């Protein structure tokens, strides 16, 4: 007999992620390069000219559990971007997101996430696009999800910049003006307790 199979999503145990993640042998230089590639690919997907691209790394000293490492770009992600692309592991088209002829630096969408998962006590994205703020990241148990009350939270641009710590003078004025006018969003990838 033949049967019609109703396909279901794969179920994987988190221990598989521990095994694969351990093989990455991360150091922070390699991990930061993964975050940088992700930011540049986001600009490429958006069609942003090179001259208008800005990626910042921000480091804050602290005690072991509160030092932070951040990668900041001015694109932004929606919750749909997070659901359909960021959450997926091992997707060979992850960096292209449906744009087959786009040249990107990313591979299977694993490196940046594994860096977040393996190398920090906690980590998350603060991302803002089209007036909606999302916070998505890894818990101390290395499981990912949206932060409570921060999924598609409607927020004014000025409040979003302040929430992410981007209301300071080191962000060039022309970039913050683009966010304030709604022309662009932003993403802050933050690792805490490296």
């Amino acid at each position: 007999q033949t049967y019609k199979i109703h396909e279901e999503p794969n179920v994987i145990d988190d221990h598989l992620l521990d095994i694969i993640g351990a093989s990455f042998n991360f150091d922070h230089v390699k991990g930061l390069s993964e975050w940088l590639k992700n930011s540049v690919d986001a600009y490429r997907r958006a069609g942003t000219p090179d001259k208008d691209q800005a990626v910042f790394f921000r480091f804050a000293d602290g005690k072991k559990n509160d030092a932070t490492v951040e990668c900041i770009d001015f694109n932004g992600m929606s919750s749909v971007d997070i659901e359909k692309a960021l959450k997926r592991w091992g997707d060979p088209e992850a960096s292209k997101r449906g744009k087959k002829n786009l040249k990107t630096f990313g591979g299977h969408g694993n490196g940046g996430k594994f860096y977040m998962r393996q190398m920090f006590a906690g980590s998350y994205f603060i991302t803002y696009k089209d007036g909606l703020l999302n916070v998505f990241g890894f818990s101390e148990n290395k499981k990912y999800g949206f932060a409570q009350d921060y999924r598609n939270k409607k927020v004014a641009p000025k409040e979003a910049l302040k929430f992410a710590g981007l209301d300071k003078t080191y962000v060039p004025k022309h970039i913050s003006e683009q966010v304030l006018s709604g022309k662009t969003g932003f993403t802050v990838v933050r690792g805490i307790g490296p």
Side-chain angles (χ1 to χ4, degrees), residues 45 77-98 108-109 113 136 144 146 151:
R45 284 190 304 274
M77 291 185 286
S78 68
S79 63
V80 172
D81 295 328
I82 293 168
E83 290 286 349
K84 292 195 172 189
L86 180 65
K87 284 176 72 171
R88 292 176 53 89
W89 295 92
D91 181 356
E93 298 298 315
S95 62
K96 295 182 187 296
R97 296 205 195 146
H108 288 78
K113 288 192 294 272
F136 182 87
Y144 66 37
F146 285 92
R151 182 176 185 161

Side-chain angles (χ1 to χ4, degrees), residues 40-187:
V40 172
D41 285 347
Y43 280 120
R44 286 179 171 220
R45 284 190 304 274
T48 305
D50 288 351
K51 67 179 181 59
D52 296 329
Q53 297 179 20
V55 179
F56 296 94
F57 287 108
R58 181 168 57 179
F59 305 90
D61 286 335
K63 295 178 182 167
K64 183 176 182 197
N65 293 332
D66 64 2
T68 60
V69 177
E70 296 175 321
C71 180
I72 304 162
D73 68 52
F74 294 89
N75 284 292
M77 291 185 286
S78 68
S79 63
V80 172
D81 295 328
I82 293 168
E83 290 286 349
K84 292 195 172 189
L86 180 65
K87 284 176 72 171
R88 292 176 53 89
W89 295 92
D91 181 356
E93 298 298 315
S95 62
K96 295 182 187 296
R97 296 205 195 146
K99 298 184 178 188
K100 298 283 183 199
N101 296 323
L102 182 67
K103 291 187 178 188
T104 58
F105 292 101
H108 288 78
N110 295 329
K113 288 192 294 272
F114 272 125
Y115 178 51
M116 292 174 72
R117 185 178 188 274
Q118 302 299 117
M119 294 294 289
F120 296 96
S123 59
Y124 51 88
F125 290 84
I126 300 171
T127 187
Y128 183 71
K129 184 176 182 180
D130 299 328
L132 299 174
L133 183 72
N134 287 283
V135 178
F136 182 87
F138 289 91
S139 71
E140 60 279 352
N141 296 321
K142 299 185 180 184
K143 296 190 181 282
Y144 66 37
F146 285 92
Q148 185 174 345
D149 300 325
Y150 287 99
R151 182 176 185 161
N152 287 332
K153 182 172 183 164
K154 190 162 184 60
V155 173
K158 187 174 183 178
E159 184 183 344
L161 286 167
K162 185 174 183 179
F163 179 84
L166 299 178
D167 57 335
K168 310 293 186 237
T169 56
Y170 60 81
V171 176
K173 187 173 179 159
H174 73 281
I175 292 175
S176 60
E177 286 174 353
Q178 288 179 338
V179 175
L180 292 170
S181 68
K183 290 181 183 173
T184 189
F186 63 82
T187 298

